[in-house]
Amino acid sequence: MTAAAGDASADLISLLPDCLLTTVLSLLPLHDAARTTALSRRWRHLWPSTPLRLLDSPAAPLSAAAISQILASHCGGAVQFHLILARPCPADLGSWLPSLAAKRLQELVLRPPSDEPLRLPPSILECRSLRSAELTNCRLPEDAAAAGAVSFRRLTELTLRLVHAPSAAALHGLLAGCPGLASLSLDRVFGCRSLRMRSGTLRSLTVSVSLTRRRLPEEAGELEHLVVEDAPALERLLAHDINWGPSIHVVQAPKLQMLGYLGVGIPELQLGLTLFRSMSAVRLATQFRSVSTLALEMADLQVKPVADFLRCFPCLETLYVTTVVLKGYRGQEHEVQLAMFFICSAIGLKIMKFLCDNDCNPSWLKIQKKRLHLENRASLEAQFVFQKFSKSYI
C-alpha cells in the first residue's frame, strides 16, 4: 500500500528494503510472521525468503509433514532449528538436514523424547555453517570416526547430553572437526572412556557423568578419564557432578581461572605435577596461580584438604565451599575447626553461612559464636549468618 509523502497514514514500514523486512519477520513468532502475507502484495513474497527460525515447542507443536512442507517451500536461509517434542523417523531427519545445510543453518537443537537414542544420519555432517549445536539423547553417526569427515569450522558452542558415540574415534573425530570451539559441555557421554583435549580456542569446558554407577555394556562405557593436554585459552573447567565423575588431568591450561565443583566423586585430579585422590593431596608440586575461583564440596569437613588446595591455588580471590552434612551444621569440633580456619585467615571474606540442624535458638547461637571467636575474624567486613537447614536450600 502507498501513500503521499507527509500523509499520517503512510505505510513507512513497507518502504524499507527487503533485507530489513525479512529480518523483522524472522524475529516474530512463526504464525504471526506467516500472517503478514495478508497485509498487502508488498509483503507476500517476503515470508518465503525470511531467515527461518523453526522452533518446535508445546505452544506450537509441529508434525513431520509440516516441517517437510516448511523446508520445501522456504526460499531463505535458516537461523534456528529446534526439535524438542517430535521424534522424527530416520528418513525424515535424513532429508531435513541436507535442506538445512543448504540454507546455511546456524543453530541446531535436537532433544528427541524417548529413552532410545535417536540415530543421527550422516547428513548431519553436511551442516558446516553451524555456530551452535545441542545434541541430546542422540547417537553419533559412524562416519564421524573417518579422518576429515567432520568440518564444523564455524561452531563455537557444542553441548552433548546423553549422547552415544559408536566409538571413541567417533567422539574424537567430532571434536577434532570443531577447531573454533569456545564452549564445550559433555553431559553423560557414552562410548568413550578416555578423552584427550587439545584446543587453542576453548574457553569453557564442562563435564559430568551419570548420578549412579549403573552397569553399562563395555561399548557404552562412560567417560572415566579426561586429559586437558593443551588448552592455552581455557578459563573455566567445571565438573558439575561431584558424586561420581571422571578423573581429570590438566597438563597445560595457563589461563585457567575457575575450577569446580571438586568432590570425592572425582577419583583423581592432577594439575601439572600436583595430584589429589578423592580430595586428599598425594603430591603438591605445581601451583596454579591463574586460578582465582575455586569450588569445593566436602562430605566430611576437614581443615587439611582445604589447606592443601589453598597451597595449590595461592592467588584465589573467591572460594566456594559447599558443606554437606547430613542435617546441616551441628557445632561438632571438626566443623568448628574448619570454620575458624576461614574466619581467622580469609582477609577478603564477605559472608559465611551456617545451615544449622536445629532451630538456632538464642542460647545455642551465643555458644557457637563464642566457640568460633568471631571477634578475631581476619576480615572486619565479614558477616556470619546462622539459619535453619532446609532440604530445599541450594
Side-chain angles (χ1 to χ4, degrees):
M1 108 187 21
T2 4
D7 189 339
S9 63
D11 182 10
L12 300 179
I13 295 180
S14 291
L15 298 178
L16 295 173
D18 287 3
C19 60
L20 291 180
L21 292 177
T22 54
T23 300
V24 170
L25 289 179
S26 71
L27 300 175
L28 294 175
L30 186 64
H31 295 294
D32 293 339
R35 289 192 186 104
T36 61
T37 57
L39 290 178
S40 70
R41 284 177 294 181
R42 169 75 176 88
W43 288 76
R44 287 175 189 169
H45 74 283
L46 295 176
W47 162 242
S49 57
T50 300
L52 181 64
R53 297 177 186 269
L54 203 158
L55 311 177
D56 178 26
S57 68
L62 295 171
S63 65
I67 294 174
S68 297
Q69 183 178 0
I70 290 172
L71 293 178
S73 61
H74 190 267
C75 306
V79 178
Q80 296 175 309
F81 184 79
H82 292 196
L83 203 62
I84 61 176
L85 293 180
R87 183 180 177 87
C89 67
D92 284 334
L93 188 59
S95 66
W96 296 342
L97 290 172
S99 177
L100 291 166
K103 297 177 184 296
R104 301 183 65 80
L105 178 65
Q106 297 180 27
E107 181 180 310
L108 174 65
V109 175
L110 294 178
R111 299 180 198 160
S114 169
D115 294 334
E116 184 68 21
L118 175 66
R119 289 183 174 272
L120 298 177
S123 55
I124 193 173
L125 304 181
E126 299 176 20
C127 298
R128 299 184 176 183
S129 58
L130 284 175
R131 298 180 184 273
S132 172
E134 177 192 318
L135 305 177
T136 298
N137 196 23
C138 296
R139 183 176 178 83
L140 299 178
E142 299 278 355
D143 294 20
V150 182
S151 181
F152 295 127
R153 296 195 172 275
R154 297 187 178 186
L155 194 68
T156 59
E157 297 182 8
L158 176 62
T159 297
L160 302 179
R161 182 179 297 111
L162 290 170
V163 164
H164 293 249
S167 64
L171 181 59
H172 280 94
L174 173 63
L175 298 179
C178 306
L181 272 185
S183 175
L184 173 63
S185 178
L186 303 173
D187 181 5
R188 291 162 291 173
V189 175
F190 304 93
C192 179
R193 294 184 180 274
S194 180
L195 180 63
R196 308 183 79 86
M197 291 293 305
R198 297 178 64 90
S199 171
T201 59
L202 192 64
R203 297 176 58 190
S204 176
L205 174 59
T206 301
V207 60
S208 58
V209 298
S210 297
L211 296 177
T212 57
R213 302 187 183 188
R214 61 186 181 188
R215 294 186 176 182
L216 297 165
E218 182 67 25
E219 67 276 8
E222 272 196 275
L223 186 64
E224 295 179 354
H225 195 199
L226 172 67
V227 181
V228 181
E229 286 188 338
D230 188 16
L234 187 65
E235 298 175 355
R236 296 157 52 95
L237 176 56
L238 305 177
H240 278 176
D241 178 14
I242 52 83
N243 295 309
W244 176 237
S247 294
I248 299 174
H249 183 189
V250 179
V251 181
Q252 287 287 342
K255 292 186 178 180
L256 187 63
Q257 298 176 12
M258 181 180 293
L259 179 64
Y261 269 102
L262 303 180
V264 293
I266 299 176
E268 284 192 357
L269 172 67
Q270 185 168 351
L271 305 165
L273 297 177
T274 292
L275 176 63
F276 290 87
R277 288 198 179 113
S278 297
M279 298 289 284
S280 297
V282 176
R283 182 174 62 248
L284 293 172
T286 306
Q287 291 185 336
F288 271 62
R289 294 183 173 274
S290 61
V291 174
S292 60
T293 302
L294 177 67
L296 306 175
E297 182 155 344
M298 304 179 68
D300 183 19
L301 298 177
Q302 298 179 28
V303 173
K304 187 179 184 306
V306 177
D308 289 338
F309 274 104
L310 295 182
R311 289 176 59 189
C312 185
F313 307 108
C315 298
L316 284 183
E317 297 175 2
T318 306
L319 175 62
Y320 293 99
V321 181
T322 301
T323 303
V324 181
V325 181
L326 185 59
K327 293 184 179 180
Y329 179 83
R330 289 175 287 182
Q332 295 186 352
E333 188 61 31
H334 65 280
E335 296 173 335
V336 173
Q337 288 180 3
L338 182 63
M340 287 179 59
F341 175 77
F342 291 112
I343 292 170
C344 299
S345 305
I347 60 175
L349 184 65
K350 300 295 184 183
I351 186 168
M352 178 177 286
K353 287 188 177 182
F354 297 83
L355 307 180
C356 307
D357 187 34
N358 54 36
D359 293 327
C360 301
N361 63 74
S363 60
W364 184 83
L365 286 178
K366 184 177 180 180
I367 294 173
Q368 295 305 312
K369 291 178 179 179
K370 184 176 180 179
R371 294 179 65 196
L372 293 168
H373 298 284
L374 300 184
E375 68 280 2
N376 296 330
R377 61 187 182 275
S379 171
L380 296 178
E381 298 180 3
Q383 297 181 19
F384 304 94
V385 179
F386 292 81
Q387 63 187 65
K388 181 177 173 58
F389 176 77
S390 169
K391 290 184 178 180
S392 63
Y393 181 85
I394 300 178

